[in-house]
Amino acid sequence: MNRSGRFVLLGLAGLILNLGLTGGVASGQTSPPPRSSIGQSPSGQSPSGQSQQADQSDLVIANEAQLPDGFPHVAYEFRFRAHGGVPSLHWQVMKVSHDGHPLGDLPPGIKLEDDGLLHGQAERSGEFQFTVAVFDGSKPQQAVQKNFTLRVRSALVIDWKSAAHVNGSRIEGTVVVTNTTQDDMDLTFVVMAVAGNGRATAIGYQHFPLKKGTVAMELPFGENLPHGGYVVHVDAVGEVAAKNVIYRERMQTPGALQVVVGP
């Protein structure tokens, strides 16, 4: 075979080889594209799956067990808060445990809203223990509860320093007064000796500004009285005009005090 014939054979072989290599494309056999990473985390979870897992974390009530103090007939407001869980959250006071035991209750005049707002005006002083539960929006629903204490303190406190007693023809004694609020109040202090026939005689009176935080201020009283029996009534009225709030406290002797010697 001459030289030009060898070139023709080599050319035909190259053409056949080239067609064999590209024949897969012509027949529609394509290689699969690379896997897309959109919507997948390194662990194989989608971002939405991660978000759902984070939202369903443990539900925890964040507030401290001892709530801020309140005062009778004064507006009270407090917000319960929780971490974790799935919105939305719903709050309520649990009256009894799962086995039927009572769990306490809110102070009369105070209520808890579904959104976690505790508010109202307590009707009386005292220490109140109760249980609050929060429920989230997951399915199945998560719920957690916690015990709380709310102390309703008497804003105006009066007590005997020296209880009312008879000294000759005189009934006398000393009262201590305390202002536990954060406000100065206008105090009126009155002591009356009430005889058996209903006649009342003032044996003590003071009117002055009682500063906030005042503790056990002594207020003496006393007066000469005709012979007879007297029940002693002590009244203290504190007014905070700026807040349109009035506090009242009263106490009396358990029985009549007998004045034997007249003035």
Side-chain angles (χ1 to χ4, degrees):
M1 182 180 295
N2 60 26
R3 187 174 182 179
S4 61
R6 288 197 300 271
F7 289 155
V8 172
L9 290 175
L10 290 172
L12 289 173
L15 178 60
I16 293 171
L17 180 61
N18 186 48
L19 289 173
L21 291 174
T22 60
V25 176
S27 63
Q29 295 178 353
T30 60
S31 60
R35 177 182 295 180
S36 172
S37 61
I38 297 176
Q40 298 289 331
S41 67
S43 62
Q45 292 182 329
S46 65
S48 60
Q50 288 181 325
S51 176
Q52 185 176 5
Q53 183 178 8
D55 289 344
Q56 292 180 346
S57 60
D58 289 342
L59 186 61
V60 177
I61 297 177
N63 306 97
E64 296 293 334
Q66 179 66 55
L67 300 183
D69 292 345
F71 300 96
H73 309 295
V74 176
Y76 185 87
E77 186 171 300
F78 181 82
R79 174 74 64 177
F80 286 104
R81 301 190 184 279
H83 300 315
V86 176
S88 59
L89 302 181
H90 304 276
W91 299 81
Q92 69 180 64
V93 176
M94 305 299 292
K95 300 296 182 66
V96 296
S97 64
H98 296 298
D99 54 3
H101 290 92
L103 296 175
D105 205 351
L106 295 171
I110 300 291
K111 63 179 180 178
L112 176 63
E113 302 291 352
D114 180 75
D115 64 356
L117 179 63
L118 185 70
H119 68 106
Q121 295 187 16
E123 297 176 2
R124 60 181 175 86
S125 60
E127 184 171 284
F128 300 87
Q129 296 180 346
F130 53 94
T131 300
V132 169
V134 60
F135 303 82
D136 77 349
S138 63
K139 294 182 179 180
Q141 191 176 51
Q142 289 192 82
V144 66
Q145 64 186 38
K146 186 173 181 178
N147 298 328
F148 290 93
T149 300
L150 172 55
R151 182 173 55 189
V152 181
R153 302 175 58 186
S154 295
L156 179 62
V157 182
I158 58 174
D159 201 357
W160 298 112
K161 171 70 173 180
S162 174
H165 59 278
V166 177
N167 183 10
S169 63
R170 180 181 174 88
I171 291 181
E172 59 185 29
T174 303
V175 171
V176 289
V177 60
T178 297
N179 177 4
T180 66
T181 74
Q182 297 301 309
D183 300 302
D184 297 340
M185 63 178 66
D186 190 33
L187 182 73
T188 301
F189 171 74
V190 179
V191 184
M192 304 293 291
V194 182
N197 59 7
R199 180 179 178 180
T201 302
I203 61 174
Y205 175 83
Q206 293 192 49
H207 181 85
F208 62 93
L210 183 64
K211 299 297 182 181
K212 62 183 179 182
T214 299
V215 177
M217 174 183 283
E218 296 186 11
L219 302 177
F221 62 88
E223 189 62 69
N224 293 321
L225 296 169
H227 68 276
Y230 298 88
V231 175
V232 177
H233 297 263
V234 179
D235 287 278
V237 179
E239 180 181 9
V240 181
K243 294 185 176 181
N244 194 29
V245 173
I246 295 179
Y247 306 100
R248 303 177 185 274
E249 290 294 325
R250 162 174 280 204
M251 62 182 182
Q252 68 181 54
T253 54
L257 302 177
Q258 297 297 323
V259 175
V260 179
V261 180

mmCIF file of all heavy atoms in Angstrom, residues 7 18 27 32 34 39 55 72 80 87 99 104 109 118 139 162 166 179 194 201 255 259:
data_model
loop_
_atom_site.group_PDB
_atom_site.id
_atom_site.type_symbol
_atom_site.label_atom_id
_atom_site.label_comp_id
_atom_site.label_asym_id
_atom_site.label_seq_id
_atom_site.Cartn_x
_atom_site.Cartn_y
_atom_site.Cartn_z
ATOM 1 N N PHE A 7 -2.573 6.973 4.923
ATOM 2 C CA PHE A 7 -3.190 8.168 5.516
ATOM 3 C C PHE A 7 -4.716 8.076 5.499
ATOM 4 O O PHE A 7 -5.403 8.463 6.428
ATOM 5 C CB PHE A 7 -2.739 9.431 4.789
ATOM 6 C CG PHE A 7 -1.305 9.798 5.057
ATOM 7 C CD1 PHE A 7 -0.586 10.550 4.139
ATOM 8 C CD2 PHE A 7 -0.687 9.394 6.241
ATOM 9 C CE1 PHE A 7 0.748 10.889 4.383
ATOM 10 C CE2 PHE A 7 0.640 9.746 6.486
ATOM 11 C CZ PHE A 7 1.365 10.493 5.564
ATOM 12 N N ASN A 18 -13.890 8.271 17.006
ATOM 13 C CA ASN A 18 -14.540 9.492 17.514
ATOM 14 C C ASN A 18 -16.045 9.298 17.625
ATOM 15 O O ASN A 18 -16.675 9.708 18.588
ATOM 16 C CB ASN A 18 -14.219 10.653 16.582
ATOM 17 C CG ASN A 18 -14.742 11.988 17.138
ATOM 18 O OD1 ASN A 18 -14.520 12.286 18.293
ATOM 19 N ND2 ASN A 18 -15.434 12.755 16.300
ATOM 20 N N SER A 27 -27.257 9.003 21.626
ATOM 21 C CA SER A 27 -28.346 8.080 21.975
ATOM 22 C C SER A 27 -29.143 8.527 23.181
ATOM 23 O O SER A 27 -30.041 7.823 23.623
ATOM 24 C CB SER A 27 -27.762 6.679 22.246
ATOM 25 O OG SER A 27 -26.901 6.727 23.360
ATOM 26 N N PRO A 32 -25.892 11.528 35.365
ATOM 27 C CA PRO A 32 -26.745 12.281 36.295
ATOM 28 C C PRO A 32 -26.032 13.534 36.773
ATOM 29 O O PRO A 32 -24.828 13.526 36.985
ATOM 30 C CB PRO A 32 -26.977 11.290 37.450
ATOM 31 C CG PRO A 32 -25.811 10.358 37.388
ATOM 32 C CD PRO A 32 -25.479 10.227 35.929
ATOM 33 N N PRO A 34 -24.867 16.537 39.400
ATOM 34 C CA PRO A 34 -24.477 16.445 40.816
ATOM 35 C C PRO A 34 -25.641 16.791 41.724
ATOM 36 O O PRO A 34 -26.488 17.613 41.380
ATOM 37 C CB PRO A 34 -23.337 17.476 40.925
ATOM 38 C CG PRO A 34 -23.572 18.425 39.804
ATOM 39 C CD PRO A 34 -24.131 17.598 38.696
ATOM 40 N N GLY A 39 -31.463 23.351 50.746
ATOM 41 C CA GLY A 39 -32.447 22.762 51.647
ATOM 42 C C GLY A 39 -31.898 21.649 52.502
ATOM 43 O O GLY A 39 -32.648 20.998 53.210
ATOM 44 N N ASP A 55 -37.660 25.335 67.839
ATOM 45 C CA ASP A 55 -38.891 25.848 68.404
ATOM 46 C C ASP A 55 -39.452 24.901 69.452
ATOM 47 O O ASP A 55 -40.119 25.319 70.386
ATOM 48 C CB ASP A 55 -39.933 26.061 67.301
ATOM 49 C CG ASP A 55 -39.581 27.240 66.404
ATOM 50 O OD1 ASP A 55 -38.739 28.037 66.825
ATOM 51 O OD2 ASP A 55 -40.136 27.330 65.292
ATOM 52 N N PRO A 72 -52.804 46.125 99.596
ATOM 53 C CA PRO A 72 -54.257 46.077 99.443
ATOM 54 C C PRO A 72 -54.788 47.320 98.741
ATOM 55 O O PRO A 72 -54.355 48.437 99.015
ATOM 56 C CB PRO A 72 -54.757 45.994 100.893
ATOM 57 C CG PRO A 72 -53.610 45.450 101.673
ATOM 58 C CD PRO A 72 -52.390 46.005 101.005
ATOM 59 N N PHE A 80 -45.807 37.262 83.440
ATOM 60 C CA PHE A 80 -45.102 35.981 83.406
ATOM 61 C C PHE A 80 -44.478 35.783 82.027
ATOM 62 O O PHE A 80 -45.071 36.144 81.001
ATOM 63 C CB PHE A 80 -46.058 34.827 83.715
ATOM 64 C CG PHE A 80 -46.444 34.727 85.158
ATOM 65 C CD1 PHE A 80 -47.692 35.154 85.589
ATOM 66 C CD2 PHE A 80 -45.556 34.220 86.087
ATOM 67 C CE1 PHE A 80 -48.046 35.063 86.926
ATOM 68 C CE2 PHE A 80 -45.900 34.120 87.431
ATOM 69 C CZ PHE A 80 -47.143 34.548 87.845
ATOM 70 N N PRO A 87 -44.867 28.860 69.906
ATOM 71 C CA PRO A 87 -45.954 29.841 70.065
ATOM 72 C C PRO A 87 -47.269 29.255 69.541
ATOM 73 O O PRO A 87 -47.255 28.403 68.648
ATOM 74 C CB PRO A 87 -45.484 31.025 69.210
ATOM 75 C CG PRO A 87 -43.997 30.828 69.067
ATOM 76 C CD PRO A 87 -43.761 29.350 69.062
ATOM 77 N N ASP A 99 -53.234 14.637 91.485
ATOM 78 C CA ASP A 99 -53.848 13.686 92.418
ATOM 79 C C ASP A 99 -54.913 14.335 93.297
ATOM 80 O O ASP A 99 -55.341 13.762 94.293
ATOM 81 C CB ASP A 99 -52.780 13.030 93.286
ATOM 82 C CG ASP A 99 -51.897 14.048 94.009
ATOM 83 O OD1 ASP A 99 -52.161 15.262 93.859
ATOM 84 O OD2 ASP A 99 -50.960 13.631 94.701
ATOM 85 N N GLY A 104 -53.356 26.035 96.175
ATOM 86 C CA GLY A 104 -53.390 27.438 96.564
ATOM 87 C C GLY A 104 -54.146 28.271 95.545
ATOM 88 O O GLY A 104 -54.693 27.763 94.566
ATOM 89 N N GLY A 109 -59.091 39.501 94.300
ATOM 90 C CA GLY A 109 -58.952 40.755 93.572
ATOM 91 C C GLY A 109 -57.871 40.750 92.516
ATOM 92 O O GLY A 109 -57.774 41.682 91.709
ATOM 93 N N LEU A 118 -50.580 39.179 85.061
ATOM 94 C CA LEU A 118 -51.163 39.087 86.397
ATOM 95 C C LEU A 118 -51.493 40.511 86.845
ATOM 96 O O LEU A 118 -50.606 41.363 86.884
ATOM 97 C CB LEU A 118 -50.168 38.433 87.354
ATOM 98 C CG LEU A 118 -50.647 38.135 88.773
ATOM 99 C CD1 LEU A 118 -51.674 37.012 88.778
ATOM 100 C CD2 LEU A 118 -49.463 37.759 89.673
ATOM 101 N N LYS A 139 -47.799 20.092 69.020
ATOM 102 C CA LYS A 139 -48.643 18.901 69.027
ATOM 103 C C LYS A 139 -47.745 17.670 69.021
ATOM 104 O O LYS A 139 -47.029 17.455 68.036
ATOM 105 C CB LYS A 139 -49.567 18.902 67.814
ATOM 106 C CG LYS A 139 -50.593 20.019 67.843
ATOM 107 C CD LYS A 139 -51.520 19.944 66.643
ATOM 108 C CE LYS A 139 -52.556 21.058 66.695
ATOM 109 N NZ LYS A 139 -53.483 21.007 65.545
ATOM 110 N N SER A 162 -47.308 50.421 123.565
ATOM 111 C CA SER A 162 -47.778 50.249 124.943
ATOM 112 C C SER A 162 -49.301 50.213 124.860
ATOM 113 O O SER A 162 -49.935 51.222 124.527
ATOM 114 C CB SER A 162 -47.306 51.403 125.835
ATOM 115 O OG SER A 162 -47.859 51.304 127.124
ATOM 116 N N VAL A 166 -55.296 51.811 131.919
ATOM 117 C CA VAL A 166 -55.780 52.831 132.854
ATOM 118 C C VAL A 166 -54.653 53.232 133.787
ATOM 119 O O VAL A 166 -53.962 52.380 134.360
ATOM 120 C CB VAL A 166 -56.980 52.306 133.673
ATOM 121 C CG1 VAL A 166 -57.426 53.352 134.710
ATOM 122 C CG2 VAL A 166 -58.131 51.930 132.752
ATOM 123 N N ASN A 179 -45.141 52.949 107.423
ATOM 124 C CA ASN A 179 -45.528 53.158 106.025
ATOM 125 C C ASN A 179 -44.615 52.298 105.150
ATOM 126 O O ASN A 179 -43.454 52.618 104.938
ATOM 127 C CB ASN A 179 -45.395 54.649 105.657
ATOM 128 C CG ASN A 179 -45.706 54.918 104.196
ATOM 129 O OD1 ASN A 179 -46.097 54.025 103.452
ATOM 130 N ND2 ASN A 179 -45.517 56.169 103.781
ATOM 131 N N VAL A 194 -64.708 54.805 123.853
ATOM 132 C CA VAL A 194 -66.158 54.692 123.695
ATOM 133 C C VAL A 194 -66.751 54.099 124.965
ATOM 134 O O VAL A 194 -66.428 52.954 125.343
ATOM 135 C CB VAL A 194 -66.515 53.823 122.482
ATOM 136 C CG1 VAL A 194 -68.039 53.757 122.306
ATOM 137 C CG2 VAL A 194 -65.860 54.380 121.216
ATOM 138 N N THR A 201 -65.177 59.708 123.269
ATOM 139 C CA THR A 201 -64.320 60.839 123.642
ATOM 140 C C THR A 201 -62.964 60.665 122.970
ATOM 141 O O THR A 201 -62.350 59.590 123.069
ATOM 142 C CB THR A 201 -64.123 60.903 125.162
ATOM 143 O OG1 THR A 201 -65.400 61.004 125.814
ATOM 144 C CG2 THR A 201 -63.254 62.093 125.542
ATOM 145 N N GLY A 255 -61.501 44.400 125.294
ATOM 146 C CA GLY A 255 -62.618 44.615 126.224
ATOM 147 C C GLY A 255 -62.571 46.032 126.776
ATOM 148 O O GLY A 255 -61.679 46.835 126.442
ATOM 149 N N VAL A 259 -62.312 52.788 134.348
ATOM 150 C CA VAL A 259 -61.778 53.944 135.064
ATOM 151 C C VAL A 259 -62.579 54.052 136.363
ATOM 152 O O VAL A 259 -63.801 54.294 136.354
ATOM 153 C CB VAL A 259 -61.898 55.234 134.240
ATOM 154 C CG1 VAL A 259 -61.447 56.452 135.042
ATOM 155 C CG2 VAL A 259 -61.126 55.115 132.927
#
